[in-house]
Amino acid sequence: MVEDEIPDSDEESPAEELEVPLDPESRIEELEAALNEMEKEMLYKQAEVQNALSQIAKVRSEGSRYGGMGLARRIVVSVENLERALGHIDDDDETPISSALRMVHKELLSSLKTEGVEPIEALGHPFDPAKMEAITTVPPTDEYGAGTVVSVLESGWVLRDRVLKVARVVVASE
């Protein structure tokens, strides 16, 4: 035998290191503490999963409610251009082209309303900075008190409760 292979009696080998056995009550307490820690961790992980599922549901819901905002904005621009064109046609003009333009305008407004897109009612209403942009002010009159929208320069639009386009208005102010 080679001298290097003989273990030194002064050194302890890992197999010889023995743990001091715990009494049964201490071991039970140790296991219960470990179990409690695992239960806490499991509850924390369950809460994380629940929060993630709630966030996913919220994103899906908002996606279905507001997913068409880009398209709605583009259609609103077309509706406004159509309204400008209709502004150049007399109300009593019943030519086929003017009747067709009015019909298309009515159908577009109806389709937008079905999808939750509506114009912002501003004229005669109190100024709302969340939905309106005051371009200028004029002195109040008997008809329009201070803080009231006197004129609408550009229509505003909302998709349900979100503003697609702010209304550009003139407000009565002192």
Side-chain angles (χ1 to χ4, degrees):
M1 221 179 207
V2 181
E3 200 172 306
D4 291 339
E5 292 180 8
I6 300 173
D8 237 356
S9 62
D10 294 340
E11 295 179 22
E12 292 182 16
S13 67
E16 293 175 357
E17 292 178 19
L18 298 175
E19 289 185 27
V20 178
L22 298 175
D23 62 272
E25 290 83 23
S26 298
R27 183 68 177 145
I28 290 172
E29 287 176 14
E30 180 182 289
L31 291 173
E32 283 177 344
L35 178 63
N36 286 337
E37 190 62 35
M38 287 181 199
E39 284 177 344
K40 284 180 189 176
E41 190 172 327
M42 182 187 69
L43 290 174
Y44 177 76
K45 296 295 182 186
Q46 282 178 334
E48 281 183 340
V49 168
Q50 202 60 23
N51 288 341
L53 292 174
S54 297
Q55 188 66 25
I56 289 168
K58 181 180 175 185
V59 167
R60 280 187 181 165
S61 173
E62 285 192 6
S64 65
R65 284 182 57 90
Y66 304 110
M69 283 186 80
L71 177 61
R73 281 188 182 109
R74 290 188 296 276
I75 292 174
V76 161
V77 170
S78 297
V79 167
E80 290 174 340
N81 288 333
L82 184 57
E83 288 172 348
R84 283 192 262 298
L86 287 170
H88 295 289
I89 297 174
D90 292 331
D91 289 340
D92 57 349
D93 184 353
E94 292 300 323
T95 60
I97 189 76
S98 62
S99 296
L101 287 174
R102 285 188 193 99
M103 182 182 68
V104 168
H105 180 255
K106 183 178 178 182
E107 286 178 10
L108 279 172
L109 289 177
S110 175
S111 295
L112 287 171
K113 185 171 185 162
T114 299
E115 296 301 318
V117 178
E118 296 190 38
I120 295 172
E121 297 295 327
L123 186 61
H125 289 84
F127 176 73
D128 180 355
K131 295 180 180 179
M132 304 170 197
E133 178 183 357
I135 300 304
T136 189
T137 60
V138 295
T141 63
D142 292 337
E143 187 178 357
Y144 299 107
T148 303
V149 175
V150 173
S151 175
V152 178
L153 303 176
E154 286 184 28
S155 299
W157 296 83
V158 291
L159 171 59
R160 292 180 182 79
D161 59 344
R162 290 200 179 165
V163 176
L164 286 174
K165 181 182 173 204
V166 295
R168 298 175 60 122
V169 299
V170 176
V171 180
S173 179
E174 297 186 32

